[in-house]
Each structure stands twice: as structure tokens, then as C-alpha cells.
Amino acid sequence: MEGLEQWKDQLEQLKSQLEPWKNQLEKCLHEAIEYLNQIPPVQLYAAIAVLLISTLLLLSIRLFKRAKSNTVILTGLSGSGKTVLFYQLRDGSVHQGTITSMEPNESTIVLNSDSNKKHKSKPVHIVDVPGHSRLRPKLDEFLPRAAGIVFVVDSLEFLPNCHLASEYLYDILTKASVVKKKIPVLICCNKNDKVTAHTKEFIRKQMEKEMYDPDDKLRASRSAISAADILNDFTLGVPEEPFTFSQCRNKVMVAESSGLTGEVGQVEQFIWECVKP
């Protein structure tokens, strides 16, 4: 009984201590109501509307950040080394005996190269899209959720394939889904471990020359897409000026790599920039 009495006494003391706070809160609430009653209804409604819009905007921004894609696409001509690069990014292996892919390869990985150890790890969804001309329409299935595109070029056998590679890249850079979302593109000059491989600067300049198309012949020659697709796509460059990748609406960069030797740091850095929070 004594314990119960002590507990009641403590409760009464607590109530007496809280009484001034209660009175102060009631006073503040009363003053706030009086202040609101003095505000014209139009101003009050406007203030509420601004508060609601600001709240919705902040929620939308947070939702957009959370929904940012983590998908990066590897594409390019057949034989450029996309699949070897895919396996090198996935688990650091070269998978000797890899043959031309007929179906997309997909994997969710965590970048672990030395150049990215300072960054917070984030899972990345890598998609290796087949480069055969008849299989390229598969690329359109992944573009809507792409955060970046790695266009792989064989820097060893570049000159014989320069026109075809430039035509394919032109197709990608003029797609509405790429231009409107400003999806960044990395031209990855692969197989640079070979002595006779062309430099990234040489490849960049040659592709820019190949894609300088004042009469739009390159655009008209793309047999893999329909007339409707052409109408929905964009054009490249500035009229009557030599084309450079800096004229593109989205960011286009050039880097070197070697899937066989594991020199993929520049590719991983590009991927990280595409998917970082």
C-alpha cells in the first residue's frame, strides 16, 4: 500500500509540473486560432495550396530519385568483344571460348574495381545485347529503362567495320528514346591491348567523319528500321557544319578497354556515373 501511495504522489507531482506546459500550449493554440481567423480566406487557401504543392513536389523528387534506373546496356557490332567485356565486368573472368551471342546476356553485379572502391557500392544491371543486324531490334526492349549505353568497338579491326559501326551508332544516337532521356553513351574502344589497335582519338575522329551526313544518306540507308521509326527519330549535328559528338543532345564519351586483360576501369567509371544515387 505504501508503494501505491508513493506512486500516486509521484503522479500528482508530475501532473503539477506539466500543468504550466499544458496552460502554455493551450494559450499558444488559442493565439494561433485567433491569428488564422484574422487572415482573409483567400490568403489562407493560397498558403495551404502552396504548402500542398511543395509537399507533392518534394515527394515527387524523392520518388524520382528512388526510381532511377540501374540498367546499363552493352551493344555494338558482332565480334567487338561485348560478351567478353560483359563477363569481365560480371566476375572478372574472360570465359575463353565465348561465341557470338544470339540472346541478350543479363546480370546484376556490384562494381569492385580499384577506381570505384571510394564509391558506395550499388547493384548494376548489365545487359549484353547481340550485335547481329537481325537481332538489334532487341535493343529497343531495354532502352526505356537504360541509364547508360556502352557502344563497344573493335579497335583492332576498326577500319573494315567503320561504316557499319558508325551506321549502328547513328541509329542509336537518333532514337527518340535515347535523345529525349539524354541517355549517356560511351564509345568503348575494346582490344586496346593489341599493338596494332587504333587509338580512341583516331576512332572518334573517323566515326565523326563517317557520320557527317549533309544529304542524310546514312539515315536513309538504315534498312533495319521502318519508315515510322525514322519519322519518330531525331537528326544529328548542326546544318552545314562538320559533325562532332559534342553536338549531340546527350553526352557521348570515348574510352579504351581490354576485356581479355581486364582493363575495364574506364568502363566501370562510366557505369558508376550513370547509376550513382
Side-chain angles (χ1 to χ4, degrees):
M1 293 295 292
E2 292 182 1
L4 182 60
E5 290 296 330
Q6 290 179 357
W7 184 81
K8 287 182 178 180
D9 292 340
Q10 291 177 359
L11 184 60
E12 290 297 329
Q13 291 177 6
L14 181 62
K15 287 176 65 177
S16 62
Q17 292 174 0
L18 292 177
E19 191 67 27
W21 290 96
K22 177 185 174 183
N23 295 336
Q24 185 66 28
L25 182 61
E26 289 177 348
K27 181 181 178 181
C28 292
L29 183 60
H30 181 70
E31 292 176 352
I33 292 174
E34 287 185 348
Y35 176 77
L36 290 175
N37 289 332
Q38 294 174 3
I39 299 176
V42 175
Q43 294 183 11
L44 183 60
Y45 296 151
I48 294 173
V50 170
L51 180 62
L52 289 174
I53 293 173
S54 300
T55 303
L56 290 173
L57 183 60
L58 289 173
L59 289 174
S60 300
I61 293 173
R62 289 178 64 86
L63 182 63
F64 174 77
K65 287 183 177 180
R66 288 177 182 176
K68 184 176 181 180
S69 173
N70 69 333
T71 298
V72 174
I73 298 172
L74 302 180
T75 190
L77 298 182
S78 295
S80 58
K82 298 184 304 299
T83 302
V84 172
L85 187 62
F86 169 82
Y87 285 124
Q88 189 65 251
L89 290 169
R90 192 187 73 173
D91 50 31
S93 66
V94 296
H95 283 246
Q96 294 288 353
T98 297
I99 60 174
T100 300
S101 301
M102 299 304 291
E103 291 293 334
N105 295 307
E106 299 184 57
S107 183
T108 300
I109 66 173
V110 175
L111 301 176
N112 288 314
S113 72
D114 291 337
S115 61
N116 289 289
K117 285 182 179 177
K118 59 183 178 180
H119 302 307
K120 182 180 178 181
S121 297
K122 178 182 178 179
V124 182
H125 185 221
I126 304 293
V127 183
D128 166 26
V129 178
H132 193 283
S133 58
R134 288 182 296 179
L135 301 175
R136 289 178 196 168
K138 291 182 178 291
L139 176 66
D140 294 326
E141 299 176 13
F142 298 98
L143 282 179
R145 49 194 171 100
I149 300 171
V150 178
F151 188 85
V152 185
V153 176
D154 184 345
S155 58
L156 190 62
E157 298 292 336
F158 169 69
L159 287 178
N161 298 304
C162 179
H163 177 77
L164 290 176
S166 300
E167 186 178 76
Y168 187 18
L169 182 58
Y170 183 99
D171 184 13
I172 293 172
L173 293 177
T174 54
K175 283 183 179 291
S177 56
V178 174
V179 177
K180 290 180 179 179
K181 292 175 60 180
K182 295 185 178 180
I183 300 175
V185 176
L186 177 71
I187 302 174
C188 176
C189 305
N190 197 28
K191 306 181 184 180
N192 76 325
D193 55 300
K194 306 299 182 182
V195 177
T196 55
H198 295 286
T199 65
K200 65 179 183 180
E201 286 303 316
F202 175 82
I203 291 173
R204 177 185 62 79
K205 291 178 181 178
Q206 289 300 119
M207 294 189 81
E208 287 176 339
K209 289 180 182 178
E210 192 71 31
M211 296 169 73
Y212 176 52
D213 192 20
D215 299 322
D216 219 16
K217 293 179 180 178
L218 185 61
R219 185 179 180 80
S221 69
R222 293 180 296 163
S223 58
I225 61 176
S226 66
D229 291 328
I230 292 177
L231 291 175
N232 289 328
D233 287 353
F234 290 77
T235 56
L236 285 184
V238 178
E240 300 181 0
E241 288 187 17
F243 171 73
T244 63
F245 289 117
S246 62
Q247 297 168 353
C248 294
R249 302 187 190 188
N250 54 324
K251 192 173 183 180
V252 181
M253 295 156 282
V254 186
E256 294 176 328
S257 73
S258 172
L260 285 176
T261 62
E263 297 177 27
V264 295
Q266 294 179 43
V267 180
E268 289 190 324
Q269 183 63 34
F270 169 79
I271 293 173
W272 164 254
E273 293 295 333
C274 291
V275 303
K276 67 181 181 181

